[in-house]
Amino acid sequence: MSFSPETIDRIVANVLSQLSGSRPVQVAPSAAKLSTPASATPSVPARVVVAPSGEKVALSEAVITADKLEAIAIGATVQVGPKAIITPASQDVIRTRKLLIERQSQLQSKSNSTTETQKAASSVGSSLLIVVNNVKPLDQLWTEVSAQWTREFVACPDDAARLAAAEVSRGGASTVVILTEQTHRAACLANRNERVKAVAIRDAGDIRLIRKQLRVNTWCLDGTGKSYFELKNLFREMQSK
């Protein structure tokens, strides 16, 4: 004859109660029979998976919103369309998460359809304008120089410096102009790349003087207060060799 574990527990409890002269002891069910309600199971917080920084993420939306950018890893490069609209809230996310906005320009589209030889030839003499702080006279000038220049908009001088270094390093541009109020910061950060020779300038006289001493490929200019004619003269000087 065999007894179940529960039966043996009850027999032992009754024997002990008789020996001690006390009431039978209620024995708790075997641990094997205990079950924890699903609601009592402690919840494990969801694990947030962060992608490695420095990755490239392409967004095809016409309007880039803050919630889209908040899901992207800090320091990543975000590729958007040439006419994509970046909302004011998105600009704050770009700054806090140190994102680099990279617009797919017509120049990049054309280069993708050419051979390596053609790409190398087209990159010689190409000019890139990176705008951090836009000024109204530039919009008027752009209608005249857009055929010779590619224009990109970024959120801060740090992003401008990174984009300038990337384009100079890969041979995408031989002349880069960063339009920012923080010219010295942009030049300092861009010069961390050994291929970049960046300087901060104020007028055409600075350009001519610097050219006698350095082979500059990145010019950092504050367009605040400058007229259409001043900017036109500066762009002509910066692009000339």
Side-chain angles (χ1 to χ4, degrees), residues 128 162-176 193 195-197 217-218:
L128 171 65
R162 282 191 290 176
L163 179 56
E167 289 300 308
V168 170
S169 295
R170 76 176 185 86
S174 58
T175 300
V176 177
N193 186 298
R195 296 191 179 184
V196 176
K197 301 295 182 290
N217 52 29
T218 303

Side-chain angles (χ1 to χ4, degrees), residues 121-158:
S122 64
S123 67
V124 176
S126 62
S127 303
L128 171 65
L129 170 62
I130 305 174
V131 181
V132 179
N133 303 110
N134 197 21
V135 290
K136 192 172 181 179
L138 177 64
D139 295 330
Q140 181 183 355
L141 177 61
W142 187 249
T143 60
E144 302 177 19
V145 301
S146 58
Q148 295 83 36
W149 292 77
T150 300
R151 180 169 58 173
E152 301 287 350
F153 291 90
V154 296
C156 63
D158 300 48

Side-chain angles (χ1 to χ4, degrees), residues 109-126:
S109 300
K110 290 178 181 179
S111 66
N112 290 335
S113 61
T114 59
T115 62
E116 291 299 323
T117 304
Q118 289 173 324
K119 284 193 286 185
S122 64
S123 67
V124 176
S126 62

Side-chain angles (χ1 to χ4, degrees), residues 29-41:
S30 172
K33 296 295 182 179
L34 293 176
S35 63
T36 304
S39 59
T41 305

